[in-house]
Amino acid sequence: MKSYICLCFLFLIAFSTTAQNEILNLWETIPNHKYTTENEAIEVKDVKRVFLTKTPTIKVFLPSERSANGSAVLICPGGAYRYLVYDWEGTDVAKWLNSKGIAAFVLKSRLPLSKSLITPHEAPLQDAQRAIRLLRANAEKWHIKPNKIGVIGFSAGGHLASTLGTQFDAPNTFKEQPLDTISARPDFVALIYPVVTMQDNFTHKGSQTNLLGANADDALIARYSNELQVTKNTPPTFLVHSGDDASVPVENSLNLYKALKDNGVPSEMHIYPYGGHGFGLAIGQGYLQSWTDRFCDWMTQL
């Protein structure tokens, strides 16, 4: 009898964990896709890296109902559009957001180097738009408010998040389902050491080449240079960068902030003197780790 009770208890724990960290496919029929024998790959060293995403998903992280404040954040991990730093800039961030009462959803988007894509540069934004729509469609289920759904992105994930923030209404180039008619506009955007521009002066060359190819024309470069795409309808934006970032120059954030200011978009920017690139939550890195407090302060006044 005791063994039976223990087994039931363990089952309930497993069921609860599964419900908490539910993984949902974004698409029933993946658009912009062709069949290949290519397989997704995962590399685990200092961090977990996901390559060649085959099936784009979101992973659900919900705070306790008692702590939940109704806000939700879609998380876009970085990785130069070559891979996704899935834990360091994904699931670790989701757990931190949960500790603040915020529902979190880690996006595993398609990556443009995959041979399974027909038009590679369109796939990441298609997945991010679909993810926001999926969050809004399931707002009641996850106890989130449909007008308090934002996005946070790191590095190249910051480029995807800023593309979503400035081009959320990019028209679908595939046969729409009812879900695809829901607004994909995030209510707020947070960009952490983001790639913003694809122009050669300040871009991250690896991200540019991986997303657009080695010989992108000027029109495509301008299309994905998000400092050029800001409008008055761009959501409120929070920016964090370090002045000594040798991988993604701080000018990515500076120039985007200027464009936001010029268009009257409420914005807040924090430039730290040190930190380099890829500091994530910056745990144990002095006052650099205070960026997470600044983000929470900013969210409370939205």
Side-chain angles (χ1 to χ4, degrees):
M1 184 64 180
K2 288 183 179 179
S3 298
Y4 174 76
I5 293 172
C6 288
L7 284 171
C8 289
F9 180 69
L10 290 172
F11 173 79
L12 287 171
I13 292 175
F15 179 80
S16 175
T17 302
T18 302
Q20 158 66 9
N21 297 144
E22 180 181 13
I23 296 176
L24 298 177
N25 292 344
L26 292 181
W27 308 94
E28 294 178 10
T29 301
I30 302 174
N32 188 21
H33 174 83
K34 61 185 177 182
Y35 174 77
T36 69
T37 57
E38 188 177 70
N39 292 314
E40 181 177 303
I42 296 175
E43 175 187 277
V44 181
K45 292 182 179 178
D46 55 331
V47 295
K48 180 179 180 179
R49 295 177 174 88
V50 179
F51 297 80
L52 302 174
T53 303
K54 289 285 283 189
T55 303
T57 63
I58 53 169
K59 187 170 185 177
V60 180
F61 290 79
L62 301 177
S64 65
E65 190 172 342
R66 188 171 180 177
S67 299
N69 60 28
S71 298
V73 175
L74 178 70
I75 303 168
C76 301
Y81 282 117
R82 179 171 172 257
Y83 52 78
L84 300 173
V85 187
Y86 194 73
D87 50 6
W88 180 253
E89 295 170 347
T91 57
D92 286 1
V93 177
K95 294 168 187 174
W96 158 64
L97 289 169
N98 279 181
S99 75
K100 303 300 181 181
I102 302 166
F105 303 82
V106 181
L107 176 63
K108 187 172 76 171
S109 58
R110 289 171 291 169
L111 295 160
L113 294 181
S114 171
K115 295 177 182 178
S116 300
L117 301 177
I118 298 170
T119 306
H121 63 81
E122 292 183 352
L125 179 57
Q126 289 172 336
D127 291 345
Q129 288 175 304
R130 180 74 168 197
I132 291 288
R133 289 168 172 145
L134 192 62
L135 265 60
R136 286 211 165 95
N138 288 278
E140 184 175 354
K141 169 186 174 182
W142 291 321
H143 304 291
I144 60 179
K145 297 177 181 178
N147 63 343
K148 295 183 70 175
I149 297 173
V151 61
I152 187 170
F154 297 76
S155 192
H159 184 267
L160 178 54
S162 65
T163 306
L164 179 64
T166 56
Q167 304 183 52
F168 54 85
D169 55 356
N172 295 318
T173 57
F174 51 86
K175 184 178 180 180
E176 291 184 342
Q177 301 297 318
L179 185 62
D180 300 308
T181 63
I182 296 173
S183 172
R185 181 185 183 273
D187 295 299
F188 56 89
V189 176
L191 307 174
I192 317 303
Y193 43 85
V195 179
V196 172
T197 191
M198 289 287 121
Q199 299 185 94
D200 286 334
N201 52 353
F202 295 123
T203 193
H204 177 252
K205 196 64 180 176
S207 297
Q208 181 203 56
T209 301
N210 292 337
L211 180 63
L212 305 182
N215 301 300
D217 61 30
D218 290 344
L220 194 61
I221 287 172
R223 174 179 169 184
Y224 286 99
S225 293
N226 292 319
E227 76 280 12
L228 304 178
Q229 306 302 329
V230 175
T231 70
K232 295 184 184 302
N233 202 32
T234 299
T237 300
F238 177 87
L239 291 150
V240 173
H241 222 118
S242 66
D244 65 349
D245 191 329
S247 297
V248 178
V250 69
E251 284 80 3
N252 280 266
S253 288
L254 294 174
N255 291 337
L256 180 61
Y257 179 81
K258 183 179 185 304
L260 292 163
K261 182 175 181 294
D262 289 346
N263 281 273
V265 178
S267 306
E268 181 169 316
M269 180 171 62
H270 296 270
I271 305 298
Y272 290 82
Y274 66 89
H277 188 72
F279 48 77
L281 297 174
I283 295 170
Q285 296 190 48
Y287 82 107
L288 179 62
Q289 69 183 357
S290 71
W291 82 256
T292 56
D293 296 325
R294 304 290 75 76
F295 171 76
C296 292
D297 292 344
W298 176 75
M299 275 196 68
T300 61
Q301 56 78 43
L302 287 175

